[in-house]
Structure formats: structure tokens, C-alpha cells
Amino acid sequence: MECFWTWCCDILRNPTWFYLLTTVAKLALVFAVILAFVVLSVWIERRVAGWIQDRPGPNRAGLPLFLLRPFGSKKTQPLAGLLHFFGCPPNGRIARLCRWLRLDREIPTFGLIQPCLDGGKLFLKQEITPSYVRKFYFILAPMLVLGPPLVAAAVVPFASGVNTAFGDISMCVANLNIGPLWVFAVSGLSVYGLTLAGWSSNSKYPFLGGLRATAQLISYEVAMGLSVIPLLMVFGTLNLQEIVSTQATDGWTLLPLWGEGLSLQRWVLWIPMALSFLMFATCIFAEANRTPFDMAECETDLVGGYHTEYSSMKFASFFMGEYAAMVIGSAMVVTLFLGGWSIGFGADESLAAWNQWVAVICQFLMFLVKLLAFIFFFVWVRWTLPRFRWDQVMKLCWLVFIELAVVNIVLTALILYFVK
Amino acid sequence: MNPAIQAILFYIFALGALASALGVVVLRNPVSSALSLACCLAFVAAIFFGAGATFLGIAQLIIYAGAILVLILFIVMMLNVKDEKPAAGNWFYCIVGVVVAAMMAGTISSAALRLPGATKGRCPVHVLAEHANELSPVPRGAQATHPPTTPSEYGGMLPPVSMKEGESDISLLGKTLFTHYNMSIVILSFALLAGALGAVAVGRKLHRD
């Protein structure tokens, strides 16, 4: 045991191995979080949709209660039997937690298992590849949609750093100096997936969907890039970890309530920042192909758009790719405008001074909470606003957003120069 | 990074870039050609990343792979270009092709051979860095003894800028572009603006009423 421990320490002391091991650990964590959030956001989407439309939503699928049958059938209160079996008091904390999770009801756990069952259903469905498709690209396209959002997640910081005995760890898989650009570049590549899906399906509706996706994504990428420039002018860096630590000490971009944020300049800068936030969030909606902008797959004009001909897991890849893009988009908005992992009000520094690891874990949880909140906002918008018309979508981008973004850049420059 | 790993990665990416560039020419389906051009650009971007020019690499990905090639693909798909038939042994095309290829190869190799230290098999950037003091650009304005007449006097070869600790290549690029090359940037952006206006003028609908 001692020998093994010293061996581990020796390996960790080697900077290359240390870097490699910590990077792999962070990579696994980020990957797990993204995939879990994809599943979770599907569930949130369906539950919130049900709530907004005044219907229950998926609430039947819960924990498999038949596993509890040895403790008594459903009718004879399996929960009570289970609690009794483990010797828990019927009114204790565990019992209350179980009741809160609705384990004693007919319908347990809010239907939380629904996305897993959906996944299983799609996995077991018959896979149909129509005979007239261009096979190679037909198979390549779903991969090109699902891959880029997962790669783009590499630069998103999910907590601040810690200094260990072996070296510093920055809680971000790749601490690049081009953070937002990396996200734009890589998530911009997913347009290939949509285009190729539309083309290789070799039928009319997918083709129109692919063309629409190409035009829309390219246009909104321009507006998205221009809309964050004021923010980058204020922060003076493209490193996302630095942007977030600045926000942790000086106040979030949209909530400058402590630190440097109390100066006049930051309060005046709030106006262009809010404009920038509005534009960026809208562009993220358009990039993720979400409902007010889901021209590429709107079922009223195009049946299913670019994924009309897809079935089973290939369709599921498109589906998951859309949700992964939504998660990454939310993560970018949270990082740039809502303070990323920062807990706020100067709590980061005091926590880090007390215990670094506790601070990192709290910041990570804070990041997840903000991410969930923004995903909820995404879903809320989807089920509230009706879909735009195609020409309105393009006009909004080219005639409103791009001009507004340029004006916003000039405005920010003037404020930075004149208001101190 | 370890220089050996860097060299290995460079050769992998360079081979990938060459293979996909070959694919652009060899593949008969225009969509396949466009996609292998995208692969080629991505490999070149990877080489840029390896050389430390992260901004150049990411600009390559955003602008070429992310926008221009998508537009090319868009047009190829929209016009529904069919597979290209191989040209049936026309000797005239062969000769013209060989001549043009030879001219291109000559231009590129002569330019490459003229880079500092190229004949000694050394990296041009390292050689430039060693002779940075001798290569300082010709002073302009009040310091210049006479107005510039030859191309080399207009600027000459820029000395390589050594990055300071903590400075990213983006800020370096911005400083170089907006100080040393400010005039060229303004002229170029006017040219681009003219191009955009021309496209709008050509593409707009004429209302005759």
C-alpha cells in the first residue's frame, strides 16, 4: 500500500503525467456532465412543455417499482415495507425524502426515467436506410452533428483552479487563449452535418431543410461573432477562465453589484452589455435550431426537415446533437454574461481562502445551477413564442442584428473612452 | 511541448493535408471534393496550432472551413452538379496542365528557397530571430533620410516579434495590424466594402414602375 502510494506520488510529480492524468479526469467529467445534461434537458423540455400547456407531460415512467415487490406489492405500500425492512422510522428524514421523490405514489419520481426509456425505444427501433440515399454521407451526417458540441465544450471553464502539492490545476479542459473563438469555430462545423443530411437524403424536403440550415447558421454566426465583441473589448482577453475570474471579482457582466462594478463606467456599460446579451442569446437560439428559429426542421412546411429520412439511433443522434448544442450555447451565455462558475458577491475569494476544494465544488455546483436555469429559459422560450417565417428570420439577422451589433461596438468604445 | 512529439504531429497533419488535397483533385463527386478541401483546411489549421499561431488556425477554421466552404457546398448542392466525367485523353489539356503546374511549382519552390536559411535546412523563423537587429524595418516619416523608392524601403521584411510572457498572439496581431499595417488595412477594407456594395447592387431586384 505504502509502495503503491509512493508510486502514485512519483507519477504525479512528473509534470507530463500530471498534466495528462488531470486532463483525462477533467475530460471525463465534462463529457459526463454534457451527456447527463442532454438527457436532463430532454426531460426538462417535456415537463416544462406540459406545464406551460397545462397538461401533465411525461410522468408515468419512474423507478421500476416491481423490484420492490419482495417488500410488498404496490397496493400494500411498498415504501412503508421497504423503510421497515431497513429499519428507518416512518416519519424520519429518509422517509420524507422518499415521499418528496413521490416513491409512495402510483407515479414515482416525476417521470425522470422517461428520457432513458426514450433512448432505449429509439435504440430498439428498426433502422431504415432508404435505398435512394447516398450511403456514406447519410451515415456521416449524424456524427458531424453530434460531435462538434462535445468538442466545443473543451474550453468552457466549470470552476476556478486549485493549487495542489504537485502543480496547479485549472478547472477547464483546455485553457486556450481563444476560448469563444474555439466554440464558434467548432460548433460552426456542425452545419456540415445538417447540410450533408439534407443533401444525402436525396429527397425534396430534407434538401430544402439542409439549404435553410446552411443559410441560417452561416448568417447567425456572423451576428453572433459581432455581438460578443463589446464584451471582449471590456474584458480585454479571449481566455474564458480569465473572463470568469474577472467577473468573480468585479461583478457579473449583467449584475455588476460588487467590486469594480460599483464604478460609473461599469453601470453605463451595462446598457451595451445587455444589448449584447440579448443578441447573443438570440443567436444561440438560432444556432441551436430551436423553435422560434427552427426553420430547418419545421414540420409545418418541411415534414421533418433534414432528418425526415432518418430513423432509430441516427435520428437520435440529430436529436442529441440539437440538445448538446443547446447545452453548450447555454454554457457560453452563462460563462460570458452570467458569471460562469462565480458564486458572486465576493463569496469566491473567501471560500477559496478557507478551502480550495470546497470552493471548487461549490463553484461547479453553481455553474450547474446557472446552466439549468438557462436551459429552463431556453425551453420556456420554445414553448411560448411561435415560429418565425423564413424571410423574417433572415431579415432579423441581416437587417437588425448585424447593424445593431456594429452600433453596439461603437457605443462600447465611446463609453470605454469617455466615461471613467 | 516536446519537440519530437511536435515533429511527429506535424508530419501526421502534413500527410493528412496532402492526402485530402489530393482527394480534392482525384474524387469525381463535387461534394466529396468540397469536403476533402474542408479536411485539408482543417489539417492546415492543426499545423498552425502546432506552430503556436492559434489565432491563425482558428481564423482558418471559422472563415474557410466554417463559412466559405459551406457556401461552396451550398452552391454545389443547389445547382446539383453531377459527377465529373474524366477527360478522355485530350493532349492539349495535358500540355496546358503540365505547363501551369510546372509554373506554380517553380514559383513556390523559388520563393521557399529564398527564405532565410532555407538552403542550410534551417527554420526561417529561427534565422530571422537571430538576425532581428539587422532586419529592423526602414524608419518612416521624419526619421527617413529620403522618401522610399524601392519596395524593400516601404517596409521590408518585418523582424519577428518575440512574444512576451502572458501576451497572446491575438493582441500581438492586433497591434501589428493596427500600427504597422494600418494603412493597408484601411485600403483593404475599402476594397472589401466596394465588393460588398457591388454584390448588393448586382443582386438587388429592379422595380420598374
Side-chain angles (χ1 to χ4, degrees), chain A residues 260-292:
Chain A
E260 281 281 307
L262 298 172
S263 69
L264 177 68
Q265 191 190 31
R266 279 298 293 275
W267 278 107
V268 180
L269 271 179
W270 191 85
I271 302 165
M273 288 302 115
L275 258 180
S276 178
F277 168 73
L278 270 182
M279 281 188 283
F280 188 70
T282 318
C283 293
I284 288 284
F285 278 98
E287 286 282 306
N289 259 319
R290 298 281 300 177
T291 279

PDB file of all heavy atoms in Angstrom, chain A residues 260-292:
ATOM      1  N   GLU A 260     -15.366  46.140  -8.774  1.00  0.00           N
ATOM      2  CA  GLU A 260     -15.238  47.233  -9.731  1.00  0.00           C
ATOM      3  C   GLU A 260     -16.590  47.654 -10.301  1.00  0.00           C
ATOM      4  O   GLU A 260     -16.729  48.723 -10.851  1.00  0.00           O
ATOM      5  CB  GLU A 260     -14.352  46.799 -10.896  1.00  0.00           C
ATOM      6  CG  GLU A 260     -12.877  46.834 -10.613  1.00  0.00           C
ATOM      7  CD  GLU A 260     -12.356  48.234 -10.707  1.00  0.00           C
ATOM      8  OE1 GLU A 260     -12.593  48.877 -11.732  1.00  0.00           O
ATOM      9  OE2 GLU A 260     -11.737  48.680  -9.739  1.00  0.00           O
ATOM     10  N   GLY A 261     -17.572  46.745 -10.207  1.00  0.00           N
ATOM     11  CA  GLY A 261     -18.868  47.002 -10.810  1.00  0.00           C
ATOM     12  C   GLY A 261     -19.551  48.227 -10.247  1.00  0.00           C
ATOM     13  O   GLY A 261     -20.500  48.739 -10.838  1.00  0.00           O
ATOM     14  N   LEU A 262     -19.068  48.712  -9.083  1.00  0.00           N
ATOM     15  CA  LEU A 262     -19.728  49.858  -8.472  1.00  0.00           C
ATOM     16  C   LEU A 262     -19.321  51.169  -9.135  1.00  0.00           C
ATOM     17  O   LEU A 262     -19.893  52.201  -8.835  1.00  0.00           O
ATOM     18  CB  LEU A 262     -19.395  49.906  -6.984  1.00  0.00           C
ATOM     19  CG  LEU A 262     -19.902  48.670  -6.235  1.00  0.00           C
ATOM     20  CD1 LEU A 262     -19.393  48.647  -4.823  1.00  0.00           C
ATOM     21  CD2 LEU A 262     -21.408  48.657  -6.236  1.00  0.00           C
ATOM     22  N   SER A 263     -18.318  51.120 -10.041  1.00  0.00           N
ATOM     23  CA  SER A 263     -17.896  52.362 -10.691  1.00  0.00           C
ATOM     24  C   SER A 263     -18.931  52.794 -11.722  1.00  0.00           C
ATOM     25  O   SER A 263     -19.744  51.993 -12.187  1.00  0.00           O
ATOM     26  CB  SER A 263     -16.543  52.173 -11.362  1.00  0.00           C
ATOM     27  OG  SER A 263     -16.688  51.317 -12.461  1.00  0.00           O
ATOM     28  N   LEU A 264     -18.874  54.098 -12.065  1.00  0.00           N
ATOM     29  CA  LEU A 264     -19.843  54.643 -13.007  1.00  0.00           C
ATOM     30  C   LEU A 264     -19.721  53.962 -14.367  1.00  0.00           C
ATOM     31  O   LEU A 264     -20.720  53.626 -15.002  1.00  0.00           O
ATOM     32  CB  LEU A 264     -19.622  56.154 -13.141  1.00  0.00           C
ATOM     33  CG  LEU A 264     -20.531  56.839 -14.150  1.00  0.00           C
ATOM     34  CD1 LEU A 264     -21.962  56.809 -13.656  1.00  0.00           C
ATOM     35  CD2 LEU A 264     -20.089  58.261 -14.399  1.00  0.00           C
ATOM     36  N   GLN A 265     -18.442  53.713 -14.776  1.00  0.00           N
ATOM     37  CA  GLN A 265     -18.233  53.153 -16.107  1.00  0.00           C
ATOM     38  C   GLN A 265     -18.959  51.824 -16.267  1.00  0.00           C
ATOM     39  O   GLN A 265     -19.639  51.593 -17.261  1.00  0.00           O
ATOM     40  CB  GLN A 265     -16.734  52.952 -16.329  1.00  0.00           C
ATOM     41  CG  GLN A 265     -16.415  52.639 -17.760  1.00  0.00           C
ATOM     42  CD  GLN A 265     -14.984  52.207 -17.932  1.00  0.00           C
ATOM     43  OE1 GLN A 265     -14.375  51.605 -17.057  1.00  0.00           O
ATOM     44  NE2 GLN A 265     -14.429  52.530 -19.076  1.00  0.00           N
ATOM     45  N   ARG A 266     -18.865  50.954 -15.250  1.00  0.00           N
ATOM     46  CA  ARG A 266     -19.499  49.652 -15.371  1.00  0.00           C
ATOM     47  C   ARG A 266     -21.011  49.792 -15.452  1.00  0.00           C
ATOM     48  O   ARG A 266     -21.682  49.045 -16.162  1.00  0.00           O
ATOM     49  CB  ARG A 266     -19.121  48.755 -14.200  1.00  0.00           C
ATOM     50  CG  ARG A 266     -17.775  48.096 -14.341  1.00  0.00           C
ATOM     51  CD  ARG A 266     -17.695  47.168 -15.550  1.00  0.00           C
ATOM     52  NE  ARG A 266     -18.532  45.993 -15.441  1.00  0.00           N
ATOM     53  CZ  ARG A 266     -18.183  44.886 -14.832  1.00  0.00           C
ATOM     54  NH1 ARG A 266     -17.013  44.793 -14.268  1.00  0.00           N
ATOM     55  NH2 ARG A 266     -18.998  43.865 -14.781  1.00  0.00           N
ATOM     56  N   TRP A 267     -21.571  50.781 -14.713  1.00  0.00           N
ATOM     57  CA  TRP A 267     -23.023  50.925 -14.768  1.00  0.00           C
ATOM     58  C   TRP A 267     -23.482  51.442 -16.107  1.00  0.00           C
ATOM     59  O   TRP A 267     -24.518  51.017 -16.619  1.00  0.00           O
ATOM     60  CB  TRP A 267     -23.504  51.849 -13.648  1.00  0.00           C
ATOM     61  CG  TRP A 267     -23.627  51.102 -12.366  1.00  0.00           C
ATOM     62  CD1 TRP A 267     -22.813  51.191 -11.293  1.00  0.00           C
ATOM     63  CD2 TRP A 267     -24.594  50.108 -12.063  1.00  0.00           C
ATOM     64  NE1 TRP A 267     -23.212  50.318 -10.323  1.00  0.00           N
ATOM     65  CE2 TRP A 267     -24.304  49.641 -10.759  1.00  0.00           C
ATOM     66  CE3 TRP A 267     -25.681  49.566 -12.748  1.00  0.00           C
ATOM     67  CZ2 TRP A 267     -25.061  48.648 -10.142  1.00  0.00           C
ATOM     68  CZ3 TRP A 267     -26.434  48.586 -12.125  1.00  0.00           C
ATOM     69  CH2 TRP A 267     -26.130  48.147 -10.836  1.00  0.00           C
ATOM     70  N   VAL A 268     -22.672  52.351 -16.717  1.00  0.00           N
ATOM     71  CA  VAL A 268     -23.049  52.822 -18.051  1.00  0.00           C
ATOM     72  C   VAL A 268     -22.844  51.705 -19.062  1.00  0.00           C
ATOM     73  O   VAL A 268     -23.640  51.524 -19.990  1.00  0.00           O
ATOM     74  CB  VAL A 268     -22.234  54.069 -18.424  1.00  0.00           C
ATOM     75  CG1 VAL A 268     -22.626  54.564 -19.802  1.00  0.00           C
ATOM     76  CG2 VAL A 268     -22.461  55.153 -17.408  1.00  0.00           C
ATOM     77  N   LEU A 269     -21.788  50.918 -18.857  1.00  0.00           N
ATOM     78  CA  LEU A 269     -21.517  49.817 -19.790  1.00  0.00           C
ATOM     79  C   LEU A 269     -22.598  48.742 -19.737  1.00  0.00           C
ATOM     80  O   LEU A 269     -22.680  47.900 -20.619  1.00  0.00           O
ATOM     81  CB  LEU A 269     -20.184  49.172 -19.448  1.00  0.00           C
ATOM     82  CG  LEU A 269     -18.953  49.760 -20.116  1.00  0.00           C
ATOM     83  CD1 LEU A 269     -17.733  49.021 -19.635  1.00  0.00           C
ATOM     84  CD2 LEU A 269     -19.070  49.644 -21.615  1.00  0.00           C
ATOM     85  N   TRP A 270     -23.411  48.768 -18.683  1.00  0.00           N
ATOM     86  CA  TRP A 270     -24.443  47.745 -18.569  1.00  0.00           C
ATOM     87  C   TRP A 270     -25.379  47.782 -19.774  1.00  0.00           C
ATOM     88  O   TRP A 270     -25.860  46.743 -20.218  1.00  0.00           O
ATOM     89  CB  TRP A 270     -25.236  47.988 -17.287  1.00  0.00           C
ATOM     90  CG  TRP A 270     -26.124  46.851 -16.952  1.00  0.00           C
ATOM     91  CD1 TRP A 270     -25.771  45.735 -16.269  1.00  0.00           C
ATOM     92  CD2 TRP A 270     -27.499  46.693 -17.295  1.00  0.00           C
ATOM     93  NE1 TRP A 270     -26.839  44.895 -16.157  1.00  0.00           N
ATOM     94  CE2 TRP A 270     -27.914  45.450 -16.775  1.00  0.00           C
ATOM     95  CE3 TRP A 270     -28.432  47.465 -17.986  1.00  0.00           C
ATOM     96  CZ2 TRP A 270     -29.201  44.977 -16.926  1.00  0.00           C
ATOM     97  CZ3 TRP A 270     -29.724  46.987 -18.133  1.00  0.00           C
ATOM     98  CH2 TRP A 270     -30.097  45.761 -17.612  1.00  0.00           C
ATOM     99  N   ILE A 271     -25.606  48.992 -20.350  1.00  0.00           N
ATOM    100  CA  ILE A 271     -26.551  49.105 -21.474  1.00  0.00           C
ATOM    101  C   ILE A 271     -26.044  48.317 -22.687  1.00  0.00           C
ATOM    102  O   ILE A 271     -26.746  47.434 -23.179  1.00  0.00           O
ATOM    103  CB  ILE A 271     -26.790  50.583 -21.816  1.00  0.00           C
ATOM    104  CG1 ILE A 271     -27.314  51.300 -20.576  1.00  0.00           C
ATOM    105  CG2 ILE A 271     -27.758  50.725 -22.962  1.00  0.00           C
ATOM    106  CD1 ILE A 271     -27.253  52.795 -20.688  1.00  0.00           C
ATOM    107  N   PRO A 272     -24.808  48.600 -23.200  1.00  0.00           N
ATOM    108  CA  PRO A 272     -24.351  47.777 -24.323  1.00  0.00           C
ATOM    109  C   PRO A 272     -24.205  46.307 -23.970  1.00  0.00           C
ATOM    110  O   PRO A 272     -24.443  45.447 -24.824  1.00  0.00           O
ATOM    111  CB  PRO A 272     -23.003  48.384 -24.698  1.00  0.00           C
ATOM    112  CG  PRO A 272     -22.629  49.278 -23.617  1.00  0.00           C
ATOM    113  CD  PRO A 272     -23.866  49.715 -22.934  1.00  0.00           C
ATOM    114  N   MET A 273     -23.888  46.010 -22.708  1.00  0.00           N
ATOM    115  CA  MET A 273     -23.755  44.596 -22.331  1.00  0.00           C
ATOM    116  C   MET A 273     -25.111  43.900 -22.415  1.00  0.00           C
ATOM    117  O   MET A 273     -25.204  42.766 -22.882  1.00  0.00           O
ATOM    118  CB  MET A 273     -23.221  44.484 -20.902  1.00  0.00           C
ATOM    119  CG  MET A 273     -21.779  44.843 -20.746  1.00  0.00           C
ATOM    120  SD  MET A 273     -20.732  43.848 -21.775  1.00  0.00           S
ATOM    121  CE  MET A 273     -20.089  45.064 -22.849  1.00  0.00           C
ATOM    122  N   ALA A 274     -26.162  44.593 -21.961  1.00  0.00           N
ATOM    123  CA  ALA A 274     -27.492  43.980 -22.020  1.00  0.00           C
ATOM    124  C   ALA A 274     -27.913  43.772 -23.474  1.00  0.00           C
ATOM    125  O   ALA A 274     -28.457  42.718 -23.829  1.00  0.00           O
ATOM    126  CB  ALA A 274     -28.499  44.851 -21.285  1.00  0.00           C
ATOM    127  N   LEU A 275     -27.607  44.754 -24.326  1.00  0.00           N
ATOM    128  CA  LEU A 275     -27.917  44.613 -25.759  1.00  0.00           C
ATOM    129  C   LEU A 275     -27.185  43.404 -26.323  1.00  0.00           C
ATOM    130  O   LEU A 275     -27.765  42.585 -27.038  1.00  0.00           O
ATOM    131  CB  LEU A 275     -27.424  45.859 -26.493  1.00  0.00           C
ATOM    132  CG  LEU A 275     -28.451  46.898 -26.873  1.00  0.00           C
ATOM    133  CD1 LEU A 275     -27.763  48.040 -27.570  1.00  0.00           C
ATOM    134  CD2 LEU A 275     -29.459  46.247 -27.792  1.00  0.00           C
ATOM    135  N   SER A 276     -25.910  43.331 -25.968  1.00  0.00           N
ATOM    136  CA  SER A 276     -25.068  42.251 -26.451  1.00  0.00           C
ATOM    137  C   SER A 276     -25.618  40.904 -25.979  1.00  0.00           C
ATOM    138  O   SER A 276     -25.663  39.936 -26.745  1.00  0.00           O
ATOM    139  CB  SER A 276     -23.670  42.517 -25.917  1.00  0.00           C
ATOM    140  OG  SER A 276     -22.800  41.554 -26.267  1.00  0.00           O
ATOM    141  N   PHE A 277     -26.078  40.870 -24.736  1.00  0.00           N
ATOM    142  CA  PHE A 277     -26.646  39.637 -24.191  1.00  0.00           C
ATOM    143  C   PHE A 277     -27.878  39.219 -24.973  1.00  0.00           C
ATOM    144  O   PHE A 277     -28.031  38.056 -25.357  1.00  0.00           O
ATOM    145  CB  PHE A 277     -27.002  39.845 -22.722  1.00  0.00           C
ATOM    146  CG  PHE A 277     -27.840  38.748 -22.136  1.00  0.00           C
ATOM    147  CD1 PHE A 277     -27.278  37.520 -21.875  1.00  0.00           C
ATOM    148  CD2 PHE A 277     -29.173  38.938 -21.860  1.00  0.00           C
ATOM    149  CE1 PHE A 277     -28.041  36.497 -21.342  1.00  0.00           C
ATOM    150  CE2 PHE A 277     -29.938  37.927 -21.331  1.00  0.00           C
ATOM    151  CZ  PHE A 277     -29.373  36.704 -21.065  1.00  0.00           C
ATOM    152  N   LEU A 278     -28.758  40.197 -25.242  1.00  0.00           N
ATOM    153  CA  LEU A 278     -29.979  39.878 -25.989  1.00  0.00           C
ATOM    154  C   LEU A 278     -29.635  39.286 -27.350  1.00  0.00           C
ATOM    155  O   LEU A 278     -30.171  38.249 -27.744  1.00  0.00           O
ATOM    156  CB  LEU A 278     -30.798  41.146 -26.191  1.00  0.00           C
ATOM    157  CG  LEU A 278     -31.803  41.471 -25.107  1.00  0.00           C
ATOM    158  CD1 LEU A 278     -32.557  42.730 -25.478  1.00  0.00           C
ATOM    159  CD2 LEU A 278     -32.756  40.310 -24.949  1.00  0.00           C
ATOM    160  N   MET A 279     -28.700  39.961 -28.052  1.00  0.00           N
ATOM    161  CA  MET A 279     -28.360  39.484 -29.391  1.00  0.00           C
ATOM    162  C   MET A 279     -27.695  38.130 -29.334  1.00  0.00           C
ATOM    163  O   MET A 279     -28.021  37.227 -30.108  1.00  0.00           O
ATOM    164  CB  MET A 279     -27.433  40.489 -30.068  1.00  0.00           C
ATOM    165  CG  MET A 279     -28.164  41.668 -30.615  1.00  0.00           C
ATOM    166  SD  MET A 279     -27.082  42.675 -31.569  1.00  0.00           S
ATOM    167  CE  MET A 279     -26.189  43.490 -30.306  1.00  0.00           C
ATOM    168  N   PHE A 280     -26.758  37.969 -28.394  1.00  0.00           N
ATOM    169  CA  PHE A 280     -26.021  36.709 -28.319  1.00  0.00           C
ATOM    170  C   PHE A 280     -26.962  35.558 -27.986  1.00  0.00           C
ATOM    171  O   PHE A 280     -26.897  34.496 -28.612  1.00  0.00           O
ATOM    172  CB  PHE A 280     -24.919  36.822 -27.273  1.00  0.00           C
ATOM    173  CG  PHE A 280     -23.996  35.657 -27.243  1.00  0.00           C
ATOM    174  CD1 PHE A 280     -23.113  35.444 -28.276  1.00  0.00           C
ATOM    175  CD2 PHE A 280     -24.019  34.759 -26.200  1.00  0.00           C
ATOM    176  CE1 PHE A 280     -22.267  34.361 -28.257  1.00  0.00           C
ATOM    177  CE2 PHE A 280     -23.174  33.672 -26.173  1.00  0.00           C
ATOM    178  CZ  PHE A 280     -22.295  33.476 -27.206  1.00  0.00           C
ATOM    179  N   ALA A 281     -27.861  35.795 -27.023  1.00  0.00           N
ATOM    180  CA  ALA A 281     -28.781  34.718 -26.648  1.00  0.00           C
ATOM    181  C   ALA A 281     -29.674  34.346 -27.830  1.00  0.00           C
ATOM    182  O   ALA A 281     -29.905  33.167 -28.103  1.00  0.00           O
ATOM    183  CB  ALA A 281     -29.615  35.144 -25.450  1.00  0.00           C
ATOM    184  N   THR A 282     -30.132  35.355 -28.576  1.00  0.00           N
ATOM    185  CA  THR A 282     -30.989  35.056 -29.722  1.00  0.00           C
ATOM    186  C   THR A 282     -30.217  34.273 -30.775  1.00  0.00           C
ATOM    187  O   THR A 282     -30.746  33.328 -31.367  1.00  0.00           O
ATOM    188  CB  THR A 282     -31.516  36.361 -30.314  1.00  0.00           C
ATOM    189  OG1 THR A 282     -31.884  37.214 -29.266  1.00  0.00           O
ATOM    190  CG2 THR A 282     -32.700  36.106 -31.194  1.00  0.00           C
ATOM    191  N   CYS A 283     -28.955  34.679 -31.002  1.00  0.00           N
ATOM    192  CA  CYS A 283     -28.152  33.963 -31.987  1.00  0.00           C
ATOM    193  C   CYS A 283     -27.902  32.531 -31.544  1.00  0.00           C
ATOM    194  O   CYS A 283     -27.875  31.620 -32.375  1.00  0.00           O
ATOM    195  CB  CYS A 283     -26.819  34.657 -32.201  1.00  0.00           C
ATOM    196  SG  CYS A 283     -26.998  36.223 -32.972  1.00  0.00           S
ATOM    197  N   ILE A 284     -27.759  32.325 -30.224  1.00  0.00           N
ATOM    198  CA  ILE A 284     -27.564  30.959 -29.729  1.00  0.00           C
ATOM    199  C   ILE A 284     -28.821  30.128 -30.004  1.00  0.00           C
ATOM    200  O   ILE A 284     -28.745  28.976 -30.431  1.00  0.00           O
ATOM    201  CB  ILE A 284     -27.253  30.995 -28.215  1.00  0.00           C
ATOM    202  CG1 ILE A 284     -25.855  31.535 -27.975  1.00  0.00           C
ATOM    203  CG2 ILE A 284     -27.406  29.647 -27.596  1.00  0.00           C
ATOM    204  CD1 ILE A 284     -24.763  30.578 -28.279  1.00  0.00           C
ATOM    205  N   PHE A 285     -29.979  30.756 -29.824  1.00  0.00           N
ATOM    206  CA  PHE A 285     -31.231  30.054 -30.161  1.00  0.00           C
ATOM    207  C   PHE A 285     -31.230  29.641 -31.628  1.00  0.00           C
ATOM    208  O   PHE A 285     -31.587  28.526 -31.968  1.00  0.00           O
ATOM    209  CB  PHE A 285     -32.438  30.957 -29.911  1.00  0.00           C
ATOM    210  CG  PHE A 285     -32.884  30.991 -28.493  1.00  0.00           C
ATOM    211  CD1 PHE A 285     -32.501  32.015 -27.674  1.00  0.00           C
ATOM    212  CD2 PHE A 285     -33.680  29.997 -27.993  1.00  0.00           C
ATOM    213  CE1 PHE A 285     -32.907  32.053 -26.357  1.00  0.00           C
ATOM    214  CE2 PHE A 285     -34.084  30.023 -26.676  1.00  0.00           C
ATOM    215  CZ  PHE A 285     -33.689  31.057 -25.855  1.00  0.00           C
ATOM    216  N   ALA A 286     -30.816  30.582 -32.476  1.00  0.00           N
ATOM    217  CA  ALA A 286     -30.837  30.294 -33.908  1.00  0.00           C
ATOM    218  C   ALA A 286     -29.807  29.233 -34.253  1.00  0.00           C
ATOM    219  O   ALA A 286     -30.050  28.363 -35.085  1.00  0.00           O
ATOM    220  CB  ALA A 286     -30.579  31.566 -34.696  1.00  0.00           C
ATOM    221  N   GLU A 287     -28.634  29.291 -33.606  1.00  0.00           N
ATOM    222  CA  GLU A 287     -27.575  28.328 -33.916  1.00  0.00           C
ATOM    223  C   GLU A 287     -27.973  26.931 -33.455  1.00  0.00           C
ATOM    224  O   GLU A 287     -27.580  25.950 -34.067  1.00  0.00           O
ATOM    225  CB  GLU A 287     -26.289  28.727 -33.211  1.00  0.00           C
ATOM    226  CG  GLU A 287     -25.584  29.904 -33.828  1.00  0.00           C
ATOM    227  CD  GLU A 287     -24.824  29.510 -35.061  1.00  0.00           C
ATOM    228  OE1 GLU A 287     -24.013  28.590 -34.973  1.00  0.00           O
ATOM    229  OE2 GLU A 287     -25.042  30.115 -36.107  1.00  0.00           O
ATOM    230  N   ALA A 288     -28.708  26.859 -32.340  1.00  0.00           N
ATOM    231  CA  ALA A 288     -29.104  25.544 -31.847  1.00  0.00           C
ATOM    232  C   ALA A 288     -30.344  25.041 -32.568  1.00  0.00           C
ATOM    233  O   ALA A 288     -30.827  23.972 -32.246  1.00  0.00           O
ATOM    234  CB  ALA A 288     -29.365  25.605 -30.348  1.00  0.00           C
ATOM    235  N   ASN A 289     -30.873  25.816 -33.538  1.00  0.00           N
ATOM    236  CA  ASN A 289     -32.047  25.393 -34.305  1.00  0.00           C
ATOM    237  C   ASN A 289     -33.252  25.172 -33.408  1.00  0.00           C
ATOM    238  O   ASN A 289     -33.969  24.190 -33.550  1.00  0.00           O
ATOM    239  CB  ASN A 289     -31.741  24.082 -35.033  1.00  0.00           C
ATOM    240  CG  ASN A 289     -31.440  24.329 -36.470  1.00  0.00           C
ATOM    241  OD1 ASN A 289     -32.110  25.154 -37.100  1.00  0.00           O
ATOM    242  ND2 ASN A 289     -30.452  23.657 -36.994  1.00  0.00           N
ATOM    243  N   ARG A 290     -33.468  26.091 -32.478  1.00  0.00           N
ATOM    244  CA  ARG A 290     -34.577  25.930 -31.548  1.00  0.00           C
ATOM    245  C   ARG A 290     -35.800  26.682 -32.038  1.00  0.00           C
ATOM    246  O   ARG A 290     -35.711  27.532 -32.907  1.00  0.00           O
ATOM    247  CB  ARG A 290     -34.163  26.424 -30.170  1.00  0.00           C
ATOM    248  CG  ARG A 290     -33.044  25.652 -29.607  1.00  0.00           C
ATOM    249  CD  ARG A 290     -33.505  24.375 -29.042  1.00  0.00           C
ATOM    250  NE  ARG A 290     -34.457  24.615 -27.985  1.00  0.00           N
ATOM    251  CZ  ARG A 290     -35.076  23.652 -27.342  1.00  0.00           C
ATOM    252  NH1 ARG A 290     -34.848  22.410 -27.652  1.00  0.00           N
ATOM    253  NH2 ARG A 290     -35.931  23.937 -26.393  1.00  0.00           N
ATOM    254  N   THR A 291     -36.935  26.467 -31.396  1.00  0.00           N
ATOM    255  CA  THR A 291     -38.177  26.753 -32.098  1.00  0.00           C
ATOM    256  C   THR A 291     -38.404  28.115 -32.695  1.00  0.00           C
ATOM    257  O   THR A 291     -38.766  28.147 -33.837  1.00  0.00           O
ATOM    258  CB  THR A 291     -39.397  26.324 -31.320  1.00  0.00           C
ATOM    259  OG1 THR A 291     -39.517  24.957 -31.554  1.00  0.00           O
ATOM    260  CG2 THR A 291     -40.666  26.952 -31.800  1.00  0.00           C
ATOM    261  N   PRO A 292     -38.211  29.241 -32.046  1.00  0.00           N
ATOM    262  CA  PRO A 292     -38.582  30.392 -32.868  1.00  0.00           C
ATOM    263  C   PRO A 292     -37.793  30.416 -34.176  1.00  0.00           C
ATOM    264  O   PRO A 292     -38.187  31.066 -35.129  1.00  0.00           O
ATOM    265  CB  PRO A 292     -38.247  31.590 -31.989  1.00  0.00           C
ATOM    266  CG  PRO A 292     -37.923  31.076 -30.660  1.00  0.00           C
ATOM    267  CD  PRO A 292     -37.722  29.616 -30.734  1.00  0.00           C
TER     268      PRO A 292
END
